[in-house]
Amino acid sequence: MPDRDDLIDRPSETLRAPTMADVARLADVSTATVSNYLSGRAELLRRMGPEVQERVREAARALGYVNNKTARHLRIQRTERICVLLPQLGIPYADQIANQIDAIARARGYSAIIVTAHSLEEWQRVLAEVEGGLADGIIGDADGFSEDELGELFGDGTRTGKAHLVLHANAAPRGFSVVNYDRLSALGLALDRLRAHGRRRLAYFENVSQRRNPRAALVRDYVARPDSGMELVAMLQCASSRATAAEAVRQLMAGEIRPDAIVVESDFSAVTVIEELQRAGVNVPADIAVIGCGNAEEGLFANPRLTTIGPTAISLAEPTTHLIDRIEQKGELGVRSFVLPWTLIARDSG
């Protein structure tokens, strides 16, 4: 292995920034090995082993080598970034999606850019930025958009050369891959459960949204059915924050007509609703049943344990890996459809 001082102190070396070849020579490995190390891709790091990784890391540190990602991106014609579009953060389901995609992307040497976008116009703006070089593709929760609106956003998927993955209740792949999940059927099961247990006065706490909410629409339609026997006491945009959810409970308790069931579009806020009801002397579920959304772990530790709707497990590893494969194969890999099942998870609170 070359002597480090020879490489560091050589006068000609001080006239320019150290290169990948310099790092390879000092670490006594190939330039390809240094490139693989700097890519950060988990499978490549596993192959080279910890001893080689340490040699490359120490050589880069000793030389003051700074990885020029801009040059790499120009060479491979990719940004190695994925843009993740979510309606909002701070709710269990969205946070789990963001964290999981970020971890999978990092294992492949990619970065995840997390962006919140609600309206069609906001999505169009982000898509334009992605097409302009912000990222190699999008993973987006498009719940609330019709299939016509998805067509307006993405066209046939061939106009940009980017790879996209859309989370949607029932959209079919057309130039973009999809992860289908049926939140609406799961919500219907929750309403059926409340009705079967004799609940008749419903309050629905939805997340703050700038676009139409198909779940809120389903609740209105369900209650309006002649055979439902239910009344919608309140529909409030307060589930995005625990503080606003708690305030909504206080307002309901001060009103003339109290609900006997509350459905909340966030498990975190649903747990807060239970706590606030108990502070008001309300027995959950004897007096008021509470059902959350997202199947967050916190619901297991609520007292009583939170009944919720959601996936039994969120696994976006295969869809995210597929998207990155499509990016690296420049669209030669075809689009696919994946399924993330949602269901009612019955526990003690409702």
Side-chain angles (χ1 to χ4, degrees):
M1 182 172 178
D3 183 84
R4 180 182 306 170
D5 292 337
D6 288 344
L7 287 174
I8 296 175
D9 296 336
R10 193 178 302 161
S12 61
E13 299 289 341
T14 64
L15 299 177
R16 60 173 174 79
T19 66
M20 196 180 296
D22 296 330
V23 176
R25 191 161 67 250
L26 181 57
D28 197 22
V29 297
S30 68
T31 304
T33 297
V34 176
S35 177
N36 289 342
Y37 171 81
L38 295 173
S39 76
R41 295 180 63 160
E43 71 271 21
L44 298 178
L45 295 176
R46 281 195 299 270
R47 286 179 203 163
M48 70 178 63
E51 189 271 335
V52 173
Q53 290 181 49
E54 178 58 28
R55 279 162 45 198
V56 175
R57 180 165 49 247
E58 176 60 22
R61 186 202 62 77
L63 292 171
Y65 176 80
V66 177
N67 188 17
N68 188 342
K69 289 197 171 185
T70 300
R72 170 180 167 80
H73 294 160
L74 287 172
R75 185 174 70 255
I76 65 175
Q77 293 295 294
R78 295 194 302 272
T79 66
E80 295 183 307
R81 292 191 294 265
I82 298 170
C83 190
V84 183
L85 268 71
L86 297 168
Q88 68 183 97
L89 298 174
I91 58 174
Y93 177 67
D95 289 350
Q96 288 179 66
I97 287 175
N99 290 335
Q100 191 171 123
I101 293 173
D102 180 62
I104 297 164
R106 281 189 285 108
R108 290 288 296 267
Y110 282 67
S111 300
I113 304 170
I114 312 298
V115 179
T116 57
H118 300 86
S119 67
L120 194 67
E121 292 73 20
E122 288 173 326
W123 269 66
Q124 288 170 331
R125 175 182 56 79
V126 175
L127 273 168
E129 292 178 359
V130 169
E131 292 171 11
L134 174 67
D136 298 315
I138 282 176
I139 300 178
D141 185 344
D143 186 35
F145 289 141
S146 67
E147 293 205 51
D148 287 342
E149 288 171 325
L150 289 177
E152 183 179 343
L153 282 169
F154 294 104
D156 61 4
T158 61
R159 65 187 181 200
T160 66
K162 303 290 184 178
H164 302 307
L165 175 68
V166 171
L167 282 65
H168 194 272
N170 50 25
R174 53 175 184 181
F176 51 84
S177 295
V178 298
V179 176
N180 292 133
Y181 53 82
D182 199 349
R183 296 185 197 176
L184 298 183
S185 291
L187 178 56
L189 292 174
L191 296 174
D192 287 344
R193 177 179 174 85
L194 293 173
R195 181 167 168 265
H197 284 77
R199 308 295 174 166
R200 294 296 178 261
R201 300 182 306 280
L202 175 68
Y204 189 76
F205 291 5
E206 61 175 318
N207 291 314
V208 175
S209 177
Q210 297 176 10
R211 68 188 193 217
R212 65 187 179 88
N213 184 340
R215 295 173 300 283
L218 182 143
V219 170
R220 292 190 189 94
D221 291 344
Y222 188 100
V223 171
R225 282 170 24 191
D227 63 341
S228 77
M230 300 179 78
E231 173 189 1
L232 187 60
V233 173
M235 180 169 286
L236 305 170
Q237 287 196 348
C238 62
S240 303
S241 157
R242 286 180 149 175
T244 55
E247 177 59 29
V249 170
R250 290 191 287 270
Q251 291 179 9
L252 285 175
M253 294 304 97
E256 293 184 3
I257 303 177
R258 287 189 174 187
D260 57 16
I262 302 176
V263 177
V264 188
E265 284 191 352
S266 162
D267 280 350
F268 287 170
S269 291
V271 171
T272 297
V273 166
I274 291 174
E275 294 168 347
E276 195 65 30
L277 288 171
Q278 290 170 338
R279 274 191 285 271
V282 175
N283 184 294
V284 178
D287 299 326
I288 299 179
V290 178
I291 295 181
C293 178
N295 193 23
E297 185 180 27
E298 185 168 350
L300 290 169
F301 302 100
N303 185 20
R305 295 183 310 152
L306 180 66
T307 294
T308 187
I309 62 171
T312 53
I314 294 178
S315 179
L316 292 176
E318 188 179 6
T320 304
T321 298
H322 164 77
L323 179 78
I324 294 174
D325 288 342
R326 286 200 73 218
I327 290 169
E328 295 185 350
Q329 296 181 32
K330 301 186 183 301
E332 293 180 9
L333 184 66
V335 297
R336 284 188 57 187
S337 178
F338 302 87
V339 176
L340 181 63
W342 274 54
T343 190
L344 171 69
I345 301 160
R347 299 191 184 114
D348 308 321
S349 67

